[in-house]
Amino acid sequence: MGFCVLAKISKRTVTFWYQADGNPYAPLKMRESNEIPLYFYVNGNDFVFGAAARERFYKNDPYAYGNYFEIVKDPAKHFSIYGNKKPVKQLFYYGFEQYLSHFLNTVLYKSDSIESYRQQFPLRFLFDDDIEDNEKSLIENLFQEAGYFNLDRIAYHNTLFNILAQKQILSNNKAILFMNGIDDVLYLNLYKNSKAEALGSAKLPGQGADPRVKILADMIVEYIILQNSYLSVNKDAEIAFLLPFSAALLQNISPIIKGEAELSDGNRYWFNVREKT
């Protein structure tokens, strides 16, 4: 087939890309972004994957699911769709197929259902550093069980090192320390050279993100609580919810950081924080 879909998977998000007719990879967007929060909502025949499901999860909706790689550890945990009971691990598969169907319909202009393409559909997985080996196998086995046989795993580090070596940014013979910050954890991998496998790895909790992001999110939530004393919120959950918003604010910082922040309940509240504070 002259196309493939690449999914970059971390604990909290899946980012979709596609390649067709030999062109470079392009983002596969269904709505406004190709990066999808790893949250699900299932109620009756309704299945939602992404930001809308995340909002329901933070509102404690019993039909919303988050923390995917934790809940799959419970073999008794299920969800129901179309009147059928399914193991919770299949949430990922159902959400993923929404994007594969979207790709067929809007990029390839195929009217066929995804079922007729599964066996030969080229899928490529790129796992981030926060995904453990057993979790990688879980995802790959999930798709193999569903009938996807054209699967492959892309080694992100090797691909990156090859490109940097070609551009003479890296030397082929020198050791490389690769650092990656994910959800406030700093992952480190040491390589003897750009062609070698990792000699060792480590992770440092609390060192993987700009500390200002969490501080700003904390100050925004605190300001909102003080100005709206009637609110009853889970402060830690709201801080976590506002991290992407805070990171975006810090891209263009000003002496007074102000505006409206949307909390996990969908309501928006005014805030005002001084940069120097």
Side-chain angles (χ1 to χ4, degrees):
M1 291 186 179
F3 67 87
C4 74
V5 170
L6 167 68
K8 182 174 182 285
I9 302 167
S10 73
K11 287 276 204 249
R12 293 186 181 273
T13 62
V14 181
T15 308
F16 290 95
W17 302 80
Y18 73 91
Q19 186 179 48
D21 300 324
N23 293 316
Y25 276 98
L28 176 58
K29 297 181 181 180
M30 185 179 289
R31 296 177 185 88
E32 71 282 353
S33 174
N34 67 323
E35 185 177 55
I36 315 303
L38 201 56
Y39 294 83
F40 311 89
Y41 171 78
V42 192
N43 189 2
N45 295 340
D46 293 334
F47 187 96
V48 179
F49 174 38
R54 178 177 62 187
E55 290 178 12
R56 290 180 177 272
F57 178 79
Y58 280 112
K59 292 177 184 177
N60 298 313
D61 191 311
Y63 298 104
Y65 301 85
N67 303 315
Y68 175 78
F69 288 100
E70 290 299 315
I71 62 177
V72 295
K73 295 177 182 178
D74 182 358
K77 199 168 184 63
H78 291 76
F79 68 98
S80 294
I81 188 167
Y82 307 125
N84 298 314
K85 196 174 182 182
K86 302 286 184 181
V88 74
K89 68 177 182 179
Q90 289 192 10
L91 285 167
F92 189 96
Y93 162 74
Y94 274 91
F96 203 102
E97 276 210 329
Q98 286 188 349
Y99 274 76
L100 300 187
S101 297
H102 174 71
F103 171 74
L104 287 176
N105 297 334
T106 64
V107 178
L108 299 185
Y109 300 108
K110 302 288 187 181
S111 58
D112 308 326
S113 66
I114 187 63
E115 286 82 359
S116 59
Y117 284 85
R118 282 177 183 153
Q119 193 167 2
Q120 296 300 322
F121 199 108
L123 288 182
R124 304 294 177 256
F125 296 126
L126 194 161
F127 295 104
D128 226 329
D129 284 325
D130 60 340
I131 304 295
E132 305 290 344
D133 287 341
N134 62 325
E135 294 167 340
K136 297 174 185 177
S137 298
L138 166 73
I139 297 300
E140 290 170 335
N141 291 337
L142 186 63
F143 282 87
Q144 288 171 348
E145 291 169 2
Y148 289 87
F149 301 122
N150 190 356
L151 304 177
D152 200 5
R153 187 188 299 185
I154 292 179
Y156 174 72
H157 304 97
N158 292 344
T159 304
L160 175 64
F161 295 165
N162 286 339
I163 293 172
L164 295 179
Q166 289 170 12
K167 294 181 178 293
Q168 299 184 332
I169 296 172
L170 283 182
S171 168
N172 286 326
N173 300 317
K174 291 187 176 180
I176 300 166
L177 178 63
F178 183 82
M179 297 184 289
N180 189 15
I182 306 172
D183 287 341
D184 207 26
V185 178
L186 182 63
Y187 294 83
L188 303 99
N189 291 280
L190 179 64
Y191 299 84
K192 184 177 181 180
N193 55 58
S194 63
K195 303 293 183 182
E197 295 299 316
L199 293 173
S201 61
K203 58 182 181 180
L204 303 176
Q207 302 299 315
D210 182 345
R212 299 176 305 158
V213 174
K214 189 171 183 179
I215 292 169
L216 178 57
D218 190 341
M219 294 179 73
I220 291 172
V221 173
E222 187 65 29
Y223 184 94
I224 291 172
I225 291 173
L226 288 174
Q227 298 298 315
N228 303 272
S229 58
Y230 61 89
L231 281 180
S232 176
V233 300
N234 181 327
K235 186 176 179 181
D236 289 340
E238 297 300 341
I239 290 172
F241 185 79
L242 286 178
L243 290 178
F245 176 73
S246 298
L249 289 174
L250 290 170
Q251 295 298 312
N252 297 290
I253 198 166
S254 58
I256 299 178
I257 306 171
K258 60 185 178 179
E260 285 190 332
E262 182 177 321
L263 298 186
S264 61
D265 61 3
N267 292 316
R268 302 175 69 86
Y269 300 91
W270 175 261
F271 70 90
N272 186 318
V273 174
R274 292 188 178 275
E275 182 268 338
K276 68 177 182 179
T277 308

